[in-house]
Amino acid sequence: AGNYGFQAQPMGFPGGFVPPPVQSQPTMDGTIWMPIPPSIPNCPPGLEYLTQIDQILIHQQLEVLEIVTAFEENNKYELKNALGQRVYFAAEDTDCMTRNCCGPSRPFTMRIIDNLGREVIRLQRPLRCSSCCCPCCLQELEVQAPPGTTVGFVVQNWHICLPKFTIQDEKRKDILKINGPCVVCQCCEDVHFEVMSLDETCPVGRISKQWTGIVREMFTDTDNFGVSFPMDLDVKMKAVMIGACFLI
């Protein structure tokens, strides 16, 4: 672990997002934030929350304009713990032309914000292909925590039919593997991506796309995901697993 001595910097938030309150009190919409944990030596600022949880639920927010017009807007997500408390808020930051021309394959920057209004994690995905016909240009995502400091990568591995990914640390060393099912869109049931040890013999965690009901699945592109990991897993690798969920 390195020595992290970073100061939170003021920033603008995409999509008109207003920084959340510091207190863990209900907001006007009834949201309760997870209490702010104490600082931990050698832990990237803002990732202290991840030392206290072994799973995180990611709920994409419904955009009314997008439902009515099919006009793609910046995606926004709530990241909650098992008690339903909001841990982070994530907001996509891409331009209008990129969103509507490139669709799901678009490059993006995702800013993840904590209870103090700090951007604690930044995800960056370049424009890449996900087809097995283009093995030299598969998906990749960089995870920074705090922004500007790379803590890991998620890279897609070539396979003729299965979605496979590798989690790497900041030095591009392989740490974990992710194996998905052959069919990633299954009716009336969740879809699971297993996180495995590097030799793929020991399960480490799971990324699951949750079935949200026939109406929501058919008429919107909003998704709910769950990420589970060992409580004692390095917080930087937990952050990279969250990044893997957004890439998937």
Side-chain angles (χ1 to χ4, degrees), residues 4 17 33 88 93 103-104 155 209:
Y4 296 88
F17 172 65
W33 284 78
Y88 299 117
D93 185 7
V155 296
K209 181 184 184 300

Side-chain angles (χ1 to χ4, degrees), residues 36-50:
I36 303 170
S39 298
I40 299 175
N42 300 324
C43 177
L47 299 194
E48 298 91 348
Y49 298 89
L50 299 181

Side-chain angles (χ1 to χ4, degrees), residues 7-84:
Q7 297 292 328
Q9 300 294 327
M11 57 161 288
F13 296 94
F17 172 65
V18 177
V22 173
Q23 300 86 359
S24 58
Q25 299 293 328
T27 58
M28 292 186 67
D29 62 356
T31 300
I32 299 177
W33 284 78
M34 180 177 173
I36 303 170
S39 298
I40 299 175
N42 300 324
C43 177
L47 299 194
E48 298 91 348
Y49 298 89
L50 299 181
T51 65
Q52 302 182 0
I53 58 177
D54 59 2
Q55 62 177 305
I56 197 160
L57 307 176
I58 301 176
H59 301 298
Q60 184 175 352
Q61 294 190 334
L62 282 169
E63 302 291 344
V64 177
L65 179 63
E66 188 172 319
I67 296 172
V68 174
T69 66
F71 185 85
E72 187 72 30
E73 295 190 280
N74 276 320
N75 290 329
K76 301 179 181 69
Y77 304 85
E78 288 184 294
L79 284 72
K80 296 182 178 182
N81 61 18
L83 299 177

Side-chain angles (χ1 to χ4, degrees), residues 18-207:
V18 177
V22 173
Q23 300 86 359
S24 58
Q25 299 293 328
T27 58
M28 292 186 67
D29 62 356
T31 300
I32 299 177
W33 284 78
M34 180 177 173
I36 303 170
S39 298
I40 299 175
N42 300 324
C43 177
L47 299 194
E48 298 91 348
Y49 298 89
L50 299 181
T51 65
Q52 302 182 0
I53 58 177
D54 59 2
Q55 62 177 305
I56 197 160
L57 307 176
I58 301 176
H59 301 298
Q60 184 175 352
Q61 294 190 334
L62 282 169
E63 302 291 344
V64 177
L65 179 63
E66 188 172 319
I67 296 172
V68 174
T69 66
F71 185 85
E72 187 72 30
E73 295 190 280
N74 276 320
N75 290 329
K76 301 179 181 69
Y77 304 85
E78 288 184 294
L79 284 72
K80 296 182 178 182
N81 61 18
L83 299 177
Q85 299 169 325
R86 184 186 286 179
V87 183
Y88 299 117
F89 182 89
E92 179 187 0
D93 185 7
T94 58
D95 62 81
C96 176
M97 181 174 292
T98 298
R99 292 195 305 273
N100 289 279
C101 291
C102 299
S105 298
R106 63 183 178 267
F108 67 73
T109 296
M110 188 75 67
R111 306 181 190 278
I112 300 180
I113 299 148
D114 74 351
N115 197 348
L116 294 172
R118 300 176 299 176
E119 182 186 353
V120 296
I121 304 173
R122 181 177 296 175
L123 312 177
Q124 293 186 320
R125 181 178 82 165
L127 180 62
R128 293 292 184 90
C129 178
S130 59
S131 171
C132 64
C133 299
C134 302
C136 62
C137 194
L138 296 175
Q139 292 291 338
E140 180 175 309
L141 180 135
E142 179 182 354
V143 181
Q144 300 175 2
T149 301
T150 301
V151 295
F153 298 87
V154 185
V155 296
Q156 183 184 3
N157 305 129
W158 186 89
H159 194 280
I160 193 169
C161 62
L162 295 177
K164 288 179 171 286
F165 302 87
T166 298
I167 288 178
Q168 301 175 333
D169 65 11
E170 69 276 11
K171 297 180 180 179
R172 294 278 188 175
K173 179 182 177 182
D174 294 350
I175 302 297
L176 299 169
K177 295 286 187 180
I178 301 176
N179 298 324
C182 183
V183 180
V184 296
C185 296
Q186 299 183 25
C187 184
C188 301
E189 61 183 62
D190 296 348
V191 178
H192 303 296
F193 292 76
E194 303 296 338
V195 183
M196 308 292 292
S197 59
L198 201 55
D199 59 7
E200 301 188 41
T201 61
C202 179
V204 175
R206 173 180 283 182
I207 298 172

Side-chain angles (χ1 to χ4, degrees), residues 58-60 208-212 216 222-226:
I58 301 176
H59 301 298
Q60 184 175 352
S208 300
K209 181 184 184 300
Q210 299 169 349
W211 173 256
T212 56
R216 191 162 179 171
T222 57
D223 293 317
N224 289 337
F225 277 84

